[in-house]
Amino acid sequence: MYIKKIVWAVAVLGLLICGFVVYQIYSAIFEPNTKFNNETAYLFIPTGASFNEVLVQLEPLLEDLSTFRAVAERKAYLNNIKGGKYAIKQGMNNNEIINSLRSGNIPIRVSFNNQESLPALAGRIAGQLEADSVELLNSFNATEFLKENNFNKDTQLGMYLPNTYEFFWNTSAEGFRDRMLKEYHKFWNAERLEKANRLNLSPDQVIALASIVQKETVKVDERPRVAGVYLNRLEKGILLQADPTVIYAIKKETGNYDTIIKRVLYRDLEIDSPYNTYKYNGIPPGPISMPDISAITAVLNPEKHDYLFFVADVSNFGYHKFAETLAQHNRNKVQYIRWLNDQKTMR
């Protein structure tokens, strides 16, 4: 009788212990384990990160790191860490958190606008993706890549079309560059290529001219008219004489693209650069900045007119006065020069 009691006691104790262990395992796996107040917290896990590096990011977000570690080990996450952006929602349990970290890499929106140089683009993208600016710039300038895709040091800036794109945060520098190449080819579809062909321009020339149009006017509705002026001058063999190209030539020669030049002086027009359209005929060898799609569209769909000149309209800022003759242009220009002098804009 005594032995039976002992057996029953041991059995009951065993059941209690098993129940406790099962409860502990259940709790570790399925009980909520977050302690942040926001609806969602995000982790940016670097490529090649160790489990301890992941834990450092998780520490302020989780109630119990030890149970997370135990479940992570059981689910073989310790040696299967993937870089990327991941979301943890309030109230998630360890099982859900690990599932999210294993397969929930979230795309992010990457944007860039009219950068004037590839280093500027690299810096802008490095602030949004894992790749750093040096890696990005090296991938942009890779000789073999440029050669294989018919770009050179002058035209390569035009491959990057300003817009907003979706990427995974851990996209490599080469991955970003290659995606931009695909977007470039997607943009230059048969319809746009045909329009460029009718203008007797290559895509590189369209983009270079669009970059000038972009710099000349911030008004999207005026860009087709400005584009028409430059195309008229090209057709007649007249120098483009675009001030933004002179400004770019100065920046390129000095290497300082942050220089602010509000007024082009007569001495600036003598700079010996293929980008100086006061000295060299035709379209410059490459873009002077990244034109946005509206500027490229303006060149491909120019306004038909007989204008050959334009100057800033001081009575309607942002827009320009257009002229068919030099005499008419000079009259318009007098008002602009007078306004500049009144503003004491010397440079």
Side-chain angles (χ1 to χ4, degrees), residues 64-305:
D64 190 337
L65 278 181
S66 62
T67 60
F68 174 81
R69 178 190 289 273
V71 176
E73 186 171 1
R74 188 175 185 83
K75 291 175 69 71
Y77 176 67
L78 277 65
N79 297 313
N80 193 30
I81 297 168
K82 298 175 182 177
K85 177 185 179 182
Y86 298 93
I88 299 177
K89 296 187 179 299
Q90 187 183 51
M92 271 187 168
N93 58 48
N94 287 326
N95 187 60
E96 292 170 327
I97 293 169
I98 292 165
N99 286 343
S100 178
L101 296 179
R102 290 178 70 170
S103 59
N105 197 0
I106 302 171
I108 64 170
R109 295 170 70 81
V110 174
S111 300
F112 59 94
N113 52 14
N114 314 99
Q115 309 298 317
E116 287 192 355
S117 67
L118 287 173
L121 174 63
R124 179 69 182 268
I125 300 305
Q128 300 174 76
L129 293 179
E130 179 184 17
D132 66 37
S133 57
V134 173
E135 293 171 331
L136 286 160
L137 195 55
N138 287 340
S139 73
F140 298 164
N141 290 324
T143 303
E144 195 63 28
F145 172 82
L146 295 177
K147 184 178 179 181
E148 286 178 359
N149 294 288
N150 298 314
F151 290 105
N152 57 46
K153 295 297 183 182
D154 289 311
T155 62
Q156 64 182 131
L157 188 66
M159 191 191 91
Y160 302 89
L161 299 175
N163 212 330
T164 298
Y165 304 92
E166 275 199 351
F167 283 92
F168 288 115
W169 175 76
N170 58 316
T171 298
S172 67
E174 291 77 13
F176 172 79
R177 178 202 65 193
D178 294 347
R179 166 73 182 284
M180 289 297 95
L181 177 64
K182 288 181 180 178
E183 295 293 338
Y184 174 85
H185 287 309
K186 187 188 301 182
F187 177 82
W188 283 106
N189 56 28
E191 181 183 359
R192 291 192 176 101
L193 288 172
E194 175 58 27
K195 287 181 177 181
N197 188 54
R198 285 202 296 266
L199 295 170
N200 293 317
L201 300 177
S202 68
D204 286 339
Q205 289 175 313
V206 169
I207 288 177
L209 187 57
S211 70
I212 300 173
V213 172
Q214 171 98 29
K215 285 292 187 180
E216 287 286 18
T217 178
V218 298
K219 302 296 184 181
V220 173
D221 61 326
E222 192 184 51
R223 285 174 181 169
R225 178 167 292 189
V226 171
V229 170
Y230 286 129
L231 289 167
N232 287 345
R233 294 179 77 93
L234 287 171
E235 186 177 357
K236 294 178 180 295
I238 303 173
L239 291 166
L240 294 185
Q241 296 183 321
D243 286 1
T245 65
V246 177
I247 293 171
Y248 180 78
I250 294 170
K251 291 180 177 182
K252 188 173 177 65
E253 183 177 80
T254 61
N256 184 3
Y257 290 90
D258 294 325
T259 303
I260 297 175
I261 301 174
K262 296 181 179 179
R263 185 174 186 175
V264 173
L265 306 177
Y266 284 113
R267 68 170 183 265
D268 298 328
L269 305 184
E270 296 304 315
I271 185 170
D272 190 13
S273 165
Y275 286 90
N276 181 359
T277 56
Y278 279 84
K279 185 179 285 286
Y280 290 92
N281 210 343
I283 298 173
I288 60 175
S289 70
M290 294 176 191
D292 62 33
I293 291 173
S294 71
I296 300 172
T297 300
V299 173
L300 293 175
N301 302 275
E303 182 180 307
K304 302 296 182 183
H305 54 62

Side-chain angles (χ1 to χ4, degrees), residues 321-333:
K321 287 187 174 182
F322 294 81
E324 296 180 11
T325 67
L326 181 59
Q328 187 181 23
H329 172 64
N330 284 337
R331 287 195 296 272
N332 293 336
K333 190 176 178 181

